[in-house]
Coordinates of all heavy atoms in Angstrom, one line a residue:
M1015 N 15.6 8.8 -18.8 CA 14.3 8.1 -18.9 C 13.7 8.0 -17.5 O 14.3 7.4 -16.6 CB 14.5 6.7 -19.5 CG 13.2 5.9 -19.6 SD 12.0 6.6 -20.7 CE 12.7 6.0 -22.3
F1016 N 12.5 8.6 -17.4 CA 11.8 8.5 -16.1 C 10.9 7.2 -16.3 O 10.2 7.0 -17.3 CB 10.9 9.7 -15.9 CG 11.8 10.9 -15.5 CD1 12.0 11.9 -16.4 CD2 12.3 11.0 -14.2 CE1 12.7 13.0 -16.0 CE2 13.1 12.1 -13.9 CZ 13.3 13.1 -14.8
V1017 N 10.7 6.5 -15.2 CA 10.0 5.2 -15.2 C 9.1 5.1 -14.0 O 9.5 5.3 -12.9 CB 10.9 4.0 -15.3 CG1 10.1 2.7 -15.4 CG2 11.8 4.1 -16.5
C1018 N 7.8 4.7 -14.2 CA 6.9 4.4 -13.2 C 6.1 3.1 -13.6 O 6.5 2.5 -14.6 CB 5.9 5.5 -12.8 SG 4.7 5.9 -14.0
H1019 N 5.1 2.7 -12.9 CA 4.4 1.5 -13.2 C 3.7 1.6 -14.5 O 3.8 0.7 -15.4 CB 3.5 1.1 -12.1 CG 2.7 -0.2 -12.3 ND1 3.4 -1.4 -12.2 CD2 1.5 -0.4 -12.7 CE1 2.5 -2.3 -12.5 NE2 1.3 -1.8 -12.8
G1020 N 2.8 2.6 -14.7 CA 1.9 2.6 -15.9 C 2.2 3.7 -16.9 O 1.7 3.6 -18.0
N1021 N 3.1 4.6 -16.6 CA 3.5 5.7 -17.5 C 2.3 6.6 -17.8 O 2.2 7.1 -18.9 CB 4.1 5.2 -18.8 CG 4.8 6.2 -19.6 OD1 4.7 6.1 -20.9 ND2 5.4 7.2 -19.0
I1022 N 1.4 6.8 -16.8 CA 0.3 7.7 -17.1 C 0.2 8.8 -16.0 O -0.5 9.8 -16.1 CB -1.1 7.0 -17.2 CG1 -1.4 6.2 -15.9 CG2 -1.1 6.2 -18.5 CD1 -2.9 5.7 -15.9
C1023 N 0.9 8.6 -14.8 CA 0.9 9.6 -13.8 C 2.3 10.1 -13.4 O 2.7 11.2 -13.9 CB 0.3 9.0 -12.5 SG -1.5 8.6 -12.6
R1024 N 3.0 9.4 -12.6 CA 4.3 9.9 -12.1 C 5.4 10.1 -13.1 O 6.0 11.2 -13.2 CB 4.8 9.0 -11.0 CG 3.9 9.0 -9.7 CD 4.4 8.0 -8.7 NE 4.2 6.7 -9.2 CZ 4.6 5.6 -8.6 NH1 5.2 5.6 -7.5 NH2 4.4 4.4 -9.2
S1025 N 5.6 9.1 -14.0 CA 6.8 9.3 -14.9 C 6.5 10.4 -16.0 O 7.4 11.2 -16.3 CB 7.2 8.0 -15.6 OG 6.2 7.4 -16.3
P1026 N 5.2 10.5 -16.5 CA 5.0 11.6 -17.4 C 5.1 13.0 -16.7 O 5.5 14.0 -17.2 CB 3.7 11.4 -18.1 CG 3.0 10.3 -17.3 CD 4.1 9.6 -16.6
M1027 N 4.6 13.0 -15.4 CA 4.7 14.2 -14.6 C 6.2 14.6 -14.5 O 6.6 15.8 -14.7 CB 4.1 14.1 -13.3 CG 2.6 14.1 -13.3 SD 1.8 13.7 -11.6 CE 2.3 15.1 -10.7
A1028 N 7.0 13.6 -14.2 CA 8.5 13.9 -14.0 C 9.1 14.3 -15.4 O 9.9 15.3 -15.4 CB 9.2 12.7 -13.5
E1029 N 8.7 13.7 -16.5 CA 9.2 14.1 -17.8 C 8.9 15.5 -18.1 O 9.8 16.3 -18.4 CB 8.5 13.2 -18.9 CG 8.8 13.6 -20.3 CD 8.1 12.8 -21.3 OE1 7.4 11.8 -21.0 OE2 8.2 13.2 -22.5
F1030 N 7.6 16.0 -17.9 CA 7.3 17.3 -18.3 C 7.8 18.3 -17.3 O 8.1 19.5 -17.6 CB 5.8 17.4 -18.5 CG 5.3 16.6 -19.7 CD1 4.4 15.6 -19.6 CD2 5.8 16.9 -21.0 CE1 4.0 14.8 -20.7 CE2 5.4 16.2 -22.1 CZ 4.5 15.1 -21.9
I1047 N 14.8 13.9 -22.7 CA 14.0 13.5 -21.5 C 12.8 12.8 -22.0 O 12.0 13.4 -22.8 CB 13.6 14.7 -20.6 CG1 14.9 15.4 -20.1 CG2 12.8 14.2 -19.4 CD1 14.7 16.8 -19.6
E1048 N 12.5 11.5 -21.6 CA 11.4 10.8 -21.9 C 10.8 10.0 -20.7 O 11.4 10.1 -19.6 CB 11.7 9.8 -23.1 CG 12.1 10.5 -24.4 CD 12.3 9.5 -25.5 OE1 11.8 8.3 -25.4 OE2 13.2 9.8 -26.4
S1049 N 9.7 9.3 -20.9 CA 9.2 8.5 -19.8 C 8.6 7.2 -20.4 O 8.1 7.2 -21.5 CB 8.2 9.2 -19.0 OG 7.1 9.6 -19.7
T1050 N 8.6 6.1 -19.5 CA 8.0 4.8 -19.9 C 7.5 4.2 -18.6 O 7.5 4.7 -17.5 CB 9.1 3.9 -20.5 OG1 10.2 3.8 -19.6 CG2 9.6 4.4 -21.9
A1051 N 7.0 3.0 -18.8 CA 6.4 2.2 -17.8 C 7.1 0.8 -17.6 O 7.8 0.4 -18.5 CB 4.9 1.8 -18.1
T1052 N 6.9 0.2 -16.5 CA 7.4 -1.1 -16.3 C 6.4 -2.2 -16.7 O 6.7 -3.4 -16.8 CB 7.9 -1.4 -14.9 OG1 6.8 -1.2 -14.0 CG2 9.0 -0.5 -14.5
S1053 N 5.1 -1.7 -16.8 CA 4.0 -2.7 -17.1 C 3.5 -2.3 -18.5 O 3.7 -1.2 -19.0 CB 2.9 -2.6 -16.1 OG 2.1 -1.5 -16.3
S1054 N 2.7 -3.1 -19.1 CA 2.0 -2.8 -20.3 C 0.5 -2.5 -20.2 O -0.1 -2.3 -21.2 CB 2.3 -4.0 -21.3 OG 1.7 -5.2 -20.8
E1055 N 0.0 -2.5 -19.0 CA -1.4 -2.4 -18.8 C -2.0 -1.1 -19.2 O -3.2 -1.0 -19.6 CB -1.8 -2.7 -17.3 CG -1.2 -1.7 -16.3 CD -1.3 -2.3 -14.9 OE1 -0.6 -3.3 -14.6 OE2 -2.0 -1.7 -14.1
E1056 N -1.2 0.0 -19.3 CA -1.7 1.3 -19.7 C -1.2 1.7 -21.1 O -1.4 2.8 -21.6 CB -1.3 2.4 -18.7 CG -1.9 2.3 -17.4 CD -3.4 2.5 -17.3 OE1 -4.0 3.1 -18.3 OE2 -4.1 2.2 -16.3
T1057 N -0.5 0.8 -21.8 CA 0.1 1.0 -23.1 C -0.9 1.7 -24.0 O -2.1 1.2 -24.2 CB 0.6 -0.3 -23.7 OG1 1.7 -0.8 -22.9 CG2 1.2 0.0 -25.1
G1058 N -0.5 2.8 -24.6 CA -1.4 3.5 -25.6 C -2.2 4.6 -24.9 O -2.7 5.5 -25.6
N1059 N -2.3 4.6 -23.6 CA -3.1 5.6 -22.9 C -2.4 6.9 -22.8 O -1.1 6.9 -22.6 CB -3.6 5.1 -21.6 CG -4.6 4.0 -21.7 OD1 -5.3 3.9 -22.7 ND2 -4.7 3.2 -20.7
D1060 N -3.1 8.0 -22.7 CA -2.5 9.4 -22.6 C -2.3 9.6 -21.1 O -2.7 8.8 -20.2 CB -3.5 10.4 -23.1 CG -2.8 11.7 -23.4 OD1 -1.6 11.9 -23.0 OD2 -3.5 12.6 -23.9
I1061 N -1.6 10.7 -20.7 CA -1.4 11.1 -19.3 C -2.8 11.1 -18.6 O -3.8 11.5 -19.2 CB -0.7 12.4 -19.2 CG1 -0.3 12.7 -17.8 CG2 -1.5 13.5 -19.9 CD1 0.7 13.9 -17.7
Y1062 N -2.8 10.6 -17.4 CA -4.0 10.6 -16.6 C -4.6 12.0 -16.4 O -3.8 12.9 -16.1 CB -3.7 9.9 -15.3 CG -4.9 9.6 -14.4 CD1 -5.9 8.7 -14.8 CD2 -5.1 10.2 -13.2 CE1 -7.0 8.4 -14.1 CE2 -6.2 9.9 -12.4 CZ -7.1 9.0 -12.8 OH -8.2 8.7 -12.1
P1063 N -5.9 12.2 -16.6 CA -6.4 13.6 -16.5 C -6.1 14.3 -15.2 O -5.8 15.5 -15.3 CB -7.9 13.4 -16.6 CG -8.1 12.1 -17.4 CD -6.9 11.2 -17.0
A1065 N -3.4 14.0 -13.4 CA -2.0 14.3 -13.5 C -1.8 15.5 -14.4 O -1.0 16.5 -14.1 CB -1.1 13.1 -14.0
S1077 N 2.4 17.6 -23.6 CA 1.8 17.2 -24.8 C 1.1 15.9 -24.7 O 1.4 15.1 -23.8 CB 2.9 17.1 -25.9 OG 3.9 16.2 -25.6
H1078 N 0.2 15.7 -25.6 CA -0.5 14.4 -25.6 C 0.5 13.3 -26.0 O 1.4 13.6 -26.8 CB -1.7 14.4 -26.5 CG -2.8 15.3 -26.0 ND1 -3.6 14.9 -24.9 CD2 -3.2 16.5 -26.4 CE1 -4.5 15.9 -24.7 NE2 -4.3 16.8 -25.5
R1079 N 0.4 12.2 -25.4 CA 1.3 11.1 -25.6 C 0.7 9.8 -25.4 O -0.5 9.7 -25.0 CB 2.5 11.3 -24.6 CG 1.9 11.5 -23.1 CD 2.9 11.8 -22.1 NE 3.9 10.7 -22.0 CZ 3.7 9.5 -21.5 NH1 2.5 9.2 -21.1 NH2 4.6 8.6 -21.4
R1080 N 1.4 8.7 -25.6 CA 0.9 7.4 -25.4 C 1.9 6.6 -24.5 O 3.1 6.6 -24.8 CB 0.8 6.6 -26.8 CG -0.3 7.2 -27.7 CD -0.5 6.3 -28.9 NE -1.4 6.9 -29.8 CZ -2.8 6.9 -29.7 NH1 -3.3 6.3 -28.6 NH2 -3.6 7.4 -30.6
A1081 N 1.3 6.1 -23.5 CA 2.1 5.3 -22.5 C 2.8 4.1 -23.3 O 2.1 3.5 -24.2 CB 1.3 4.8 -21.4
R1082 N 4.0 3.8 -22.9 CA 4.6 2.6 -23.5 C 5.5 2.0 -22.4 O 5.9 2.6 -21.4 CB 5.4 3.0 -24.7 CG 6.7 3.8 -24.4 CD 7.5 4.0 -25.8 NE 8.8 4.6 -25.6 CZ 9.9 4.0 -25.2 NH1 9.9 2.7 -25.0 NH2 11.0 4.6 -25.1
R1083 N 5.9 0.7 -22.7 CA 6.7 -0.1 -21.7 C 8.1 0.1 -22.0 O 8.6 0.2 -23.2 CB 6.3 -1.5 -21.9 CG 6.9 -2.4 -20.8 CD 6.2 -3.8 -20.8 NE 6.7 -4.5 -19.7 CZ 7.3 -5.7 -19.8 NH1 7.6 -6.2 -21.0 NH2 7.7 -6.3 -18.7
F1084 N 8.9 0.1 -21.0 CA 10.4 0.2 -21.1 C 10.9 -1.0 -21.8 O 10.4 -2.1 -21.7 CB 11.0 0.3 -19.7 CG 12.4 0.6 -19.6 CD1 12.9 1.9 -19.6 CD2 13.4 -0.5 -19.5 CE1 14.3 2.1 -19.5 CE2 14.7 -0.2 -19.4 CZ 15.2 1.1 -19.4
D1088 N 15.8 0.8 -24.6 CA 15.8 2.0 -23.8 C 17.0 2.0 -22.8 O 17.7 3.0 -22.6 CB 14.5 2.2 -23.0 CG 13.3 2.4 -23.9 OD1 13.4 3.2 -24.9 OD2 12.2 1.9 -23.6
V1096 N 15.6 6.7 -14.3 CA 15.2 7.3 -13.0 C 13.8 6.8 -12.7 O 12.8 7.2 -13.3 CB 15.3 8.8 -13.0 CG1 14.9 9.4 -11.7 CG2 16.7 9.3 -13.5
M1098 N 10.5 5.9 -10.0 CA 9.7 6.6 -8.9 C 9.7 5.9 -7.6 O 9.6 6.5 -6.5 CB 8.3 6.8 -9.4 CG 8.1 7.6 -10.7 SD 8.7 9.3 -10.5 CE 10.0 9.2 -11.8
E1099 N 9.9 4.6 -7.6 CA 9.9 3.8 -6.4 C 10.7 2.5 -6.5 O 10.9 2.1 -7.6 CB 8.4 3.5 -5.9 CG 7.7 2.7 -6.9 CD 6.2 2.5 -6.5 OE1 5.9 2.6 -5.3 OE2 5.4 2.1 -7.4
N1102 N 9.5 -0.3 -8.8 CA 9.9 -0.1 -10.2 C 11.2 -0.8 -10.6 O 11.4 -1.3 -11.7 CB 9.9 1.3 -10.6 CG 8.7 2.1 -10.4 OD1 8.8 3.3 -10.0 ND2 7.5 1.5 -10.6
D1139 N 2.5 7.4 -4.9 CA 1.7 7.1 -6.1 C 0.3 7.7 -5.9 O -0.5 7.2 -5.1 CB 1.6 5.5 -6.2 CG 1.0 5.2 -7.6 OD1 0.4 6.0 -8.3 OD2 1.2 4.0 -8.0
W1141 N -2.2 7.5 -7.8 CA -3.2 6.6 -8.3 C -3.9 6.0 -7.1 O -5.1 5.7 -7.2 CB -2.6 5.5 -9.2 CG -3.6 4.6 -9.8 CD1 -3.9 3.3 -9.3 CD2 -4.4 4.8 -10.9 NE1 -4.9 2.8 -10.1 CE2 -5.2 3.7 -11.1 CE3 -4.5 5.8 -11.9 CZ2 -6.1 3.5 -12.2 CZ3 -5.4 5.7 -12.9 CH2 -6.2 4.6 -13.1

Side-chain angles (χ1 to χ4, degrees):
M1015 175 66 80
F1016 290 105
V1017 180
C1018 70
H1019 181 74
N1021 192 218
I1022 61 169
C1023 293
R1024 293 174 294 173
S1025 61
M1027 286 173 69
E1029 174 186 348
F1030 293 119
I1047 302 164
E1048 295 182 27
S1049 66
T1050 56
T1052 60
S1053 77
S1054 58
E1055 62 196 66
E1056 297 290 346
T1057 296
N1059 290 335
D1060 200 353
I1061 189 170
Y1062 188 65
S1077 57
H1078 291 287
R1079 49 182 302 291
R1080 294 189 182 281
R1082 72 175 185 85
R1083 189 169 188 239
F1084 189 87
D1088 291 322
V1096 182
M1098 300 298 118
E1099 62 183 341
N1102 302 143
D1139 193 341
W1141 182 262

